[in-house]
Amino acid sequence: MTSAPTSPLTDPWPKSPVLQTAYRARAAAVDLAPLPRALKDDALLAMADALEVRTKEIVEANATDVERAREAGTSEAIVDRLTLTPERVRAIASDVRDVVALPDPVGEVVRGSTLPNGIDLRQVRVPLGVVGIIYEARPNVTVDAAALCLKSGNAVLLRGSSSAYHSNSALVKVLRDAVGGAGLPADAIQLVPGESRESVRELMRARGLVDVLIPRGGASLIRTVVEESTVPVIETGTGNCHVYVDAQADLDMAVDILVNSKAQRPSVCNAAETLLVHQDIAAEFLPRALEALAAAAEFLPRALEALAAAGVTVHADERVQALAEAEGTKATVVPAAMEDWETEYLSYDIAAAVVDSLEAAVAHIGLWSSGHTEAIVTTSQAAARRFTQLVDSTTVAVNASTRFTDGSQFGFGAEIGISTQKLHARGPMGLPELTSTKYIVTGDGHTR
Amino acid sequence: MTSAPTSPLTDPWPKSPVLQTAYRARAAAVDLAPLPRALKDDALLAMADALEVRTKEIVEANATDVERAREAGTSEAIVDRLTLTPERVRAIASDVRDVVALPDPVGEVVRGSTLPNGIDLRQVRVPLGVVGIIYEARPNVTVDAAALCLKSGNAVLLRGSSSAYHSNSALVKVLRDAVGGAGLPADAIQLVPGESRESVRELMRARGLVDVLIPRGGASLIRTVVEESTVPVIETGTGNCHVYVDAQADLDMAVDILVNSKAQRPSVCNAAETLLVHQDIAAEFLPRALEALAAAAEFLPRALEALAAAGVTVHADERVQALAEAEGTKATVVPAAMEDWETEYLSYDIAAAVVDSLEAAVAHIGLWSSGHTEAIVTTSQAAARRFTQLVDSTTVAVNASTRFTDGSQFGFGAEIGISTQKLHARGPMGLPELTSTKYIVTGDGHTR
């Protein structure tokens, strides 16, 4: 006689405010699951309207966070991400309206058949239940995540950075009022109480109450959640992306794709961090590539990333160093250390190596990549086919920038994050990735 | 500058035999991933042939395990599961040939479109990589898991019960020889070395080397793996399944479905453990149901489960007790304790309660079920619809036995387990559930 794990729902009402929040989320999730799309869309429209109507209180609360962040000496790049203006609140409200337009994944029949014995079998999409999001100081994530979770019938537990606490509190208050006013359970959207690390820990251990945790942010945050959580986790976002320029390649195209992949927005996960160049074209391609990167670093508006000031630094293996020295370059070239091959710089730094073959490029990627996005630039159909077959990352790009790995670029309408793991979802996650399925078996008295 | 987690592949060659095995599996997985179906099918056929040709050494190795198990006083039911006869080995080989006939999930285009900018987007199925299976003393799982993983392009690490060590070693030797002989890497199939708990722990912590762990067995094994593993886990198998008999129901059908769900094979996860009866038909239905269960327990061949001897015991709430007393019954009726509602008996025990309404049945199930399979017996279309909407389990059956939740019953051809979690896969898992996907982005110089 084996005992199943104790139902977490039968514990006495817990003292912990975090677990109380999770209990309420669970109850809300039960109410949300069978709701038809129209009711959820009405609530989403109410949320968008409320954000616009109550912009003032949101911006005021945000001002407190911004002031404290400046006092704490936070970098301007992070302060910029934290800041909400009336225009930005309007843009966030507009994003919520975009979610209204997306199809509801819940109820979709994923597969179905009549079995030989006459039973009708249907696999249908259902909400995951309670989704926990752990994220950094970006208040827009609060609203994005709430909207995507509501649309997909999930209750959401939001645990943002404590440095955005006032902003998130104000936003969640506005959203909850709107959801409640639309007749849906306000507890569909909740902030995890407490600013301590302990409250995050409790969330991570709430297996049975929370169905999935999605950490969004830097590598160390994600590693902590993966290591300590008993709740299933979807890893997101770490991107050590590679651009491989093949022996046969249109070098103008290769320069464009490299510069776009590295420099169009260096601070994001789908920016390239390593350049691999086939030895046969290294001497011709590398000097041009380095100049183009240096020029990009020079001409991009500093305000955009506050990263450009330092120019571009190339962390080069010996062969790249030799070529750079022989030709001279405006880029700063330094010897690559072992760590460079696995580093997600998120800056105008790039690691660069010459490889003997496509297979050597694939091996380098297999060893060092975080498995996010790798691009090949080639005119050879055989090389394109081989690279896409052998590289095991969420996305493999042929003659296209790494920057396309993105939910809206892929046409998913919105994204809750980019999964870099293989289970459940891989790559940009839209609404269907926020669902599970169940099987419906219909008979008329069937027994085995 | 954020650092990605260190590549586990860049550690020096580890001293631990378990991790060495995982390294070899990783290398084999890289070779397996791009293989076309024909080569994998050839290897599977070679495996099936080898099992038949070398039956003698397999049965002899198994005899050692069986002898030790008997000496250790293991129950005959477990000894029976452990035992391999020439007929059973032939049946296992035949199961491998069935896998040959299944379509290869790898390479399937899951979705695809041309984006507005002209980029071609394809999402294709790829192997997970390295799959770890932790299981109990059933040597047939060794071969099943190896065949399903090979077919889906995954390398497998097998960690069976130490009580089946000789059987598993012999089976894996035969399979590896066959795979190697067919020109595929023998390391696609490996036994995790060591019989200690520490070797399981190492496997559970090999994140980055092992892509997923699938524990198959009792609730305590599964709980341990879920709690201690940093490798992503797919929970399988715990089944506290319910049969709910609605106010409007064909009572003959209800008796048949109840008896089939409970008694056709009580030791499996899709057997029913709790009966819920609507109050309006309780007085009419319950006495019949209890007699039918008692009769089933009496007439089923003892050898089948070695459970029937004790007859049926009904763990009853007060209303069921009152009805049973009033009518008299051959079944043993005892008061249900709180724990009974969450117990997976795997025997001729059943918990039983009268509920006020369909909603009360749904609430009971939501509180106590392990989320495996719940059945409703009803003639009401509205009740069937409501029950299937509200119950959140892997499978909801309408007028059909809970026993249908099964990969081969569902027409999947084979099953690696039944997932009771919501992430990645839910319900019976066939070959597609042993895959992930990757996106292929094809442009002609596209940049953002």
Side-chain angles (χ1 to χ4, degrees):
Chain A
M1 192 155 92
T2 318
S3 203
T6 303
S7 167
L9 299 174
T10 60
D11 287 353
W13 183 246
K15 288 205 188 70
S16 144
V18 173
L19 292 187
Q20 287 175 9
T21 308
Y23 270 57
R24 282 192 290 261
R26 198 102 236 120
V30 168
D31 292 341
L32 287 176
L35 288 185
R37 171 174 177 174
L39 295 182
K40 294 186 285 189
D41 283 352
D42 285 349
L44 288 166
L45 289 172
M47 284 162 60
D49 292 347
L51 288 169
E52 291 186 339
V53 170
R54 295 169 66 176
T55 297
K56 191 157 167 282
E57 71 186 86
I58 294 165
V59 171
E60 280 172 8
N62 177 254
T64 310
D65 288 333
V66 169
E67 194 182 326
R68 291 196 183 178
R70 285 230 166 81
E71 280 167 12
T74 309
S75 82
E76 274 309 304
I78 291 177
V79 169
D80 181 58
R81 285 184 199 168
L82 174 61
T83 303
L84 292 175
T85 62
E87 293 70 37
R88 286 186 179 182
V89 174
R90 255 200 305 283
I92 290 172
S94 161
D95 287 345
V96 174
R97 292 201 180 90
D98 290 345
V99 174
V100 174
L102 296 176
D104 184 349
V106 175
E108 185 198 342
V109 178
V110 176
R111 65 179 150 184
S113 63
T114 301
L115 302 179
N117 59 7
I119 280 181
D120 283 327
L121 181 70
R122 303 281 177 271
Q123 185 184 20
V124 299
R125 284 202 188 280
V126 296
L128 286 169
V130 177
V131 177
I133 315 272
I134 301 178
Y135 54 107
E136 295 180 334
R138 293 176 175 240
N140 62 311
V141 171
T142 306
V143 182
D144 279 0
L148 290 170
C149 286
L150 187 78
K151 179 83 184 202
S152 50
N154 294 294
V156 70
L157 292 175
L158 297 157
R159 207 333 179 141
S161 163
S162 52
S163 61
Y165 189 73
H166 297 89
S167 316
N168 289 338
S169 299
L171 286 167
V172 166
K173 188 169 184 320
V174 168
L175 298 179
R176 285 172 56 90
D177 289 351
V179 168
L184 267 56
D187 286 340
I189 302 170
Q190 292 181 91
L191 218 54
V192 175
E195 299 184 44
S196 68
R197 292 213 163 255
E198 190 45 43
S199 70
V200 186
R201 248 189 83 79
E202 279 190 80
L203 184 63
M204 294 192 295
R205 310 291 295 184
R207 190 179 179 93
L209 287 169
V210 179
D211 292 291
V212 59
L213 279 182
I214 306 177
R216 284 183 58 166
S220 76
L221 167 70
I222 289 164
R223 196 157 44 219
T224 302
V225 176
V226 162
E227 287 279 325
E228 297 189 13
S229 184
T230 57
V231 172
V233 174
I234 298 182
E235 266 190 87
T236 67
T238 308
N240 174 19
C241 303
H242 294 68
V243 172
Y244 165 63
V245 183
D246 190 41
Q248 298 174 53
D250 176 332
L251 296 191
D252 291 333
M253 185 193 287
V255 168
D256 286 351
I257 286 175
L258 172 67
V259 170
N260 187 260
S261 297
K262 174 72 253 181
Q264 195 245 353
R265 200 168 168 203
S267 65
V268 292
C269 63
N270 59 16
E273 307 293 6
T274 302
L275 167 67
L276 301 174
V277 182
H278 193 286
Q279 58 180 355
D280 291 357
I281 49 109
E284 190 183 352
F285 175 69
L286 265 168
R288 286 177 57 185
L290 298 189
E291 287 329 293
L293 282 173
E298 219 166 276
F299 286 113
L300 274 173
R302 278 195 55 177
L304 182 67
E305 299 291 350
L307 295 167
V312 71
T313 303
V314 179
H315 305 259
D317 77 343
E318 287 181 9
R319 289 198 275 183
V320 173
Q321 285 175 61
L323 280 167
E325 273 170 32
E327 297 276 340
T329 171
K330 266 192 257 175
T332 310
V333 178
V334 299
M338 183 85 125
E339 301 80 67
D340 282 298
W341 308 121
E342 64 172 7
T343 298
E344 184 182 19
Y345 298 111
L346 300 172
S347 64
Y348 282 108
D349 292 70
I350 190 164
V354 173
V355 292
D356 292 346
S357 62
L358 182 144
E359 285 69 22
V362 168
H364 182 108
I365 289 166
L367 197 56
W368 297 109
S369 172
S370 65
H372 190 298
T373 301
E374 333 297 343
I376 181 174
V377 185
T378 187
T379 55
S380 155
Q381 165 66 7
R385 184 170 149 85
R386 196 152 169 74
F387 191 81
T388 52
Q389 267 187 343
L390 296 183
V391 168
D392 186 24
S393 295
T394 80
T395 307
V396 185
V398 177
N399 295 335
S401 169
T402 58
R403 293 274 294 114
F404 286 107
T405 306
D406 174 89
S408 36
Q409 291 293 324
F410 278 10
F412 300 168
E415 115 187 351
I416 193 89
I418 296 177
S419 163
T420 50
Q421 69 178 32
K422 292 188 189 172
L423 282 198
H424 186 71
R426 198 178 192 204
M429 294 193 292
L431 288 171
E433 284 73 23
L434 285 172
T435 65
S436 182
T437 60
K438 69 180 169 195
Y439 287 98
I440 314 283
V441 164
T442 309
D444 31 45
H446 283 75
T447 55
R448 280 179 73 179
Chain B
M1 190 156 93
T2 319
S3 202
T6 303
S7 168
L9 300 175
T10 60
D11 288 352
W13 183 249
K15 288 204 188 72
S16 144
V18 174
L19 293 186
Q20 287 175 9
T21 308
Y23 270 58
R24 281 193 291 259
R26 205 97 240 114
V30 167
D31 291 342
L32 287 177
L35 288 186
R37 171 174 177 174
L39 294 182
K40 294 186 285 189
D41 283 350
D42 285 349
L44 287 165
L45 288 172
M47 284 161 59
D49 292 347
L51 288 168
E52 291 186 339
V53 170
R54 295 168 67 177
T55 297
K56 191 157 168 280
E57 72 186 85
I58 295 166
V59 172
E60 280 172 7
N62 178 253
T64 310
D65 288 332
V66 169
E67 193 182 329
R68 290 197 184 179
R70 286 229 167 83
E71 279 167 14
T74 309
S75 81
E76 275 308 303
I78 292 178
V79 169
D80 182 58
R81 286 185 200 166
L82 174 62
T83 303
L84 292 176
T85 61
E87 293 69 38
R88 287 187 178 181
V89 174
R90 256 200 304 280
I92 291 172
S94 161
D95 288 345
V96 174
R97 292 202 180 90
D98 289 345
V99 174
V100 173
L102 296 175
D104 184 349
V106 175
E108 186 197 342
V109 178
V110 177
R111 63 179 151 186
S113 64
T114 301
L115 303 179
N117 60 8
I119 279 181
D120 283 326
L121 181 69
R122 301 281 178 272
Q123 185 183 19
V124 298
R125 284 201 188 282
V126 296
L128 285 168
V130 176
V131 176
I133 316 271
I134 302 177
Y135 56 107
E136 295 179 337
R138 293 176 174 242
N140 62 311
V141 172
T142 305
V143 182
D144 280 359
L148 290 170
C149 286
L150 186 78
K151 179 83 185 205
S152 51
N154 295 293
V156 70
L157 293 174
L158 297 157
R159 203 340 176 139
S161 162
S162 53
S163 62
Y165 190 73
H166 297 89
S167 316
N168 290 338
S169 299
L171 286 167
V172 166
K173 188 169 185 318
V174 169
L175 298 179
R176 285 171 57 90
D177 288 351
V179 168
L184 267 57
D187 286 340
I189 302 171
Q190 292 180 92
L191 218 54
V192 175
E195 298 184 44
S196 68
R197 291 213 164 257
E198 189 46 42
S199 70
V200 185
R201 248 189 85 78
E202 280 190 80
L203 183 63
M204 295 193 295
R205 312 290 296 182
R207 192 180 177 93
L209 286 170
V210 179
D211 292 291
V212 61
L213 279 183
I214 305 177
R216 283 183 61 166
S220 76
L221 167 70
I222 289 164
R223 198 157 44 219
T224 302
V225 175
V226 162
E227 287 279 324
E228 297 189 13
S229 184
T230 57
V231 173
V233 174
I234 297 182
E235 265 188 86
T236 66
T238 309
N240 174 18
C241 303
H242 294 68
V243 173
Y244 165 63
V245 183
D246 191 39
Q248 299 173 51
D250 177 331
L251 296 192
D252 290 334
M253 185 193 286
V255 167
D256 286 351
I257 286 176
L258 172 67
V259 169
N260 188 259
S261 297
K262 175 72 254 179
Q264 196 244 352
R265 200 170 169 201
S267 64
V268 292
C269 62
N270 59 16
E273 307 292 6
T274 302
L275 166 67
L276 300 174
V277 181
H278 193 288
Q279 58 180 356
D280 292 357
I281 50 110
E284 189 183 351
F285 176 68
L286 266 167
R288 287 178 58 186
L290 298 189
E291 288 328 294
L293 282 173
E298 221 165 276
F299 287 112
L300 275 172
R302 279 195 56 178
L304 183 68
E305 299 290 347
L307 295 167
V312 70
T313 303
V314 180
H315 304 259
D317 78 342
E318 289 182 7
R319 290 199 273 183
V320 173
Q321 285 175 60
L323 280 167
E325 275 170 34
E327 298 277 339
T329 172
K330 266 191 257 173
T332 310
V333 178
V334 300
M338 185 86 127
E339 301 81 67
D340 282 298
W341 308 121
E342 64 173 7
T343 297
E344 185 183 19
Y345 298 110
L346 301 172
S347 64
Y348 282 109
D349 292 70
I350 189 164
V354 173
V355 291
D356 291 346
S357 62
L358 183 145
E359 285 70 23
V362 168
H364 181 109
I365 289 166
L367 198 57
W368 297 110
S369 173
S370 64
H372 191 298
T373 300
E374 333 297 344
I376 181 174
V377 185
T378 186
T379 56
S380 156
Q381 165 66 9
R385 185 170 148 85
R386 195 150 171 75
F387 190 81
T388 52
Q389 266 186 343
L390 296 183
V391 168
D392 186 26
S393 295
T394 79
T395 307
V396 185
V398 178
N399 295 335
S401 169
T402 57
R403 294 274 294 113
F404 286 106
T405 306
D406 174 89
S408 35
Q409 291 293 323
F410 279 10
F412 300 169
E415 119 189 346
I416 192 90
I418 295 176
S419 163
T420 50
Q421 69 176 33
K422 292 188 188 171
L423 281 197
H424 186 69
R426 199 178 192 206
M429 295 193 293
L431 288 171
E433 285 73 23
L434 285 172
T435 65
S436 182
T437 60
K438 69 182 170 193
Y439 287 99
I440 313 284
V441 163
T442 309
D444 32 45
H446 284 75
T447 56
R448 281 178 74 177

